[in-house]
Amino acid sequence: MFDLQQLEHAHGVVGAAMPPTPAYAWPLLSERLGATAIVKHENHTPIGAFKVRGGLVYLDLLKREAPDTIGIISATRGNHGQSLAYAAGRYRMPVTIYVPQGNSVEKNNSMRALGADLVEHGEDFQAAREEAIRRASATGFHIVPAFHRNLVLGVATYALELFRKARDIDVLYVPIGQGSGVCGCILARDLLGLTTEIVGVQSTEAPSYALSFAAGTVVTTESSNTLADGMATRVPDPDALAIICKGCSRIVQVSDDEVAAAIRAYWTDTHNLAEGAGAAALAAALQDKPRLRGKRVGLILSGGNIDFDLFNRWVIPQAAVAGGRVPA
């Protein structure tokens, strides 16, 4: 997709808008995991999620390659749309974002505050995506896909930062939504000549990439009803799948209950609030705990944009059932 020089240039584009995000080895989290746990804090970006990197690089290249673009349009469950709205604002470009009905209220509000024209359509991401494509044809706006080489180039900059700070990570857990994050990690690892094992993470309620990985070809699902909306994908991207099949060792599936427990663990052990997809890497590592003892484990905390209402409905009740404790 790109070479190391292009990745370095993309890191400069991202760096003009935000500093590198931290990567910390948290002692309590390491005790819980029985391994050294190094968390890459993509919840510390200007939109609270890793995707801002993809938006910044995509818009930078679009303005260079197609300077007459009159506006952009895309679909999202939240973080992709916030990324594009944030980046478009820096270039004073109109942006329309389609979201499914019942989407995160707080993410919707954030996209509007960042300048997006927000449209609610359909019952899930795929329906919103198809309508965005139709609308792009009618308006002449440039359609930004959920997965694209330039988006991957942008988000791969977080992996570049992480691997340059911690080259000796044995295994890295990465959540999978549309695939840009995990593909960026695979490509950055390979460009740096590292041997880190990369494990993808999906929801048991939205396992399209896990099923596709097992089958070696695209497998779609009829629904994606996970509370971890950043992983709510039912139609994998074939280009992303090709990279994942080549570069991931395996894909772990985690339940919504496991993700909720990981959100609480992040809060008690690091005082960071993770959204569902952001906590999925930790949930998978905890599932793999017996095989990780003594290793250096990387965890991508991909975002922290969880609605307060969802947190109260999903995470807090489980804490009450557990007597306030987070299982080790």
Side-chain angles (χ1 to χ4, degrees):
M1 271 194 166
F2 44 81
D3 59 28
L4 187 56
Q5 183 177 2
Q6 291 169 318
L7 180 55
E8 294 278 14
H9 177 77
H11 191 250
V13 171
V14 173
M18 55 173 274
T21 58
Y24 296 136
W26 292 94
L28 286 175
L29 206 59
S30 295
E31 284 184 15
R32 179 185 299 276
L33 197 56
T36 301
I38 302 166
V39 180
K40 180 59 169 166
H41 283 282
E42 289 299 287
N43 56 319
H44 291 185
T45 76
I47 67 164
F50 78 102
K51 283 186 179 287
V52 68
R53 298 171 181 269
L56 288 166
V57 171
Y58 192 99
L59 264 293
D60 176 75
L61 290 171
L62 182 65
K63 289 294 290 183
R64 296 170 188 272
E65 296 166 1
D68 295 331
T69 301
I70 61 172
I72 60 173
I73 190 168
S74 193
T76 187
R77 287 299 303 265
N79 289 334
H80 176 61
Q82 290 180 88
S83 165
L84 295 178
Y86 179 86
R90 291 177 64 86
Y91 291 96
R92 298 183 180 179
M93 182 179 290
V95 55
T96 298
I97 300 295
Y98 276 76
V99 300
Q101 294 171 355
N103 195 55
S104 161
V105 172
E106 290 169 24
K107 287 179 182 176
N108 287 356
N109 289 341
S110 176
M111 285 181 276
R112 290 191 182 99
L114 288 166
D117 179 13
L118 195 81
V119 181
E120 294 186 68
H121 178 89
E123 63 180 13
D124 62 11
F125 167 76
Q126 188 63 27
R129 179 185 185 185
E130 291 167 2
E131 182 62 23
I133 293 170
R134 285 191 289 270
R135 187 61 181 162
S137 297
T139 61
F141 275 28
H142 173 86
I143 183 73
V144 182
F147 184 88
H148 186 275
R149 177 260 188 196
N150 295 347
L151 294 174
V152 177
L153 175 59
V155 301
T157 61
Y158 82 66
L160 182 69
E161 292 172 4
L162 175 61
F163 286 136
R164 288 218 158 131
K165 181 172 182 177
R167 296 180 65 91
D168 57 350
I169 291 174
D170 295 304
V171 55
L172 178 65
Y173 289 84
V174 189
I176 301 176
Q178 279 294 325
S180 63
V182 70
C183 289
C185 288
I186 291 167
L187 295 169
R189 175 200 63 185
D190 293 348
L191 288 172
L192 293 172
L194 303 179
T195 58
T196 304
E197 178 189 3
I198 294 179
V199 178
V201 186
Q202 280 230 285
S203 169
T204 56
E205 304 306 308
S208 59
Y209 272 100
L211 296 174
S212 300
F213 182 84
T217 189
V218 170
V219 177
T220 63
T221 58
E222 293 300 318
S223 65
S224 54
N225 296 322
T226 173
L227 294 173
D229 57 3
M231 299 190 293
T233 301
R234 60 182 177 88
V235 181
D237 184 280
D239 293 331
L241 179 63
I243 296 172
I244 291 168
C245 286
K246 183 178 179 181
C248 272
S249 63
R250 54 202 171 89
I251 295 179
V252 175
Q253 295 184 46
V254 293
S255 69
D256 280 0
D257 285 352
E258 288 175 305
V259 171
I263 292 172
R264 299 198 307 275
Y266 265 130
W267 180 254
T268 58
D269 294 359
T270 76
H271 285 161
N272 277 265
L273 184 59
E275 62 185 86
L282 175 57
L286 289 169
Q287 198 181 108
D288 279 352
K289 182 175 178 178
R291 67 197 298 170
L292 298 178
R293 185 163 301 279
K295 293 187 176 182
R296 291 176 62 78
V297 179
L299 303 170
I300 304 303
L301 202 173
S302 58
N305 298 323
I306 185 170
D307 278 12
F308 186 69
D309 178 62
L310 176 59
F311 184 82
N312 276 333
R313 289 189 290 109
W314 178 23
V315 181
I316 294 300
Q318 289 195 36
V321 170
R325 294 177 292 104
V326 180

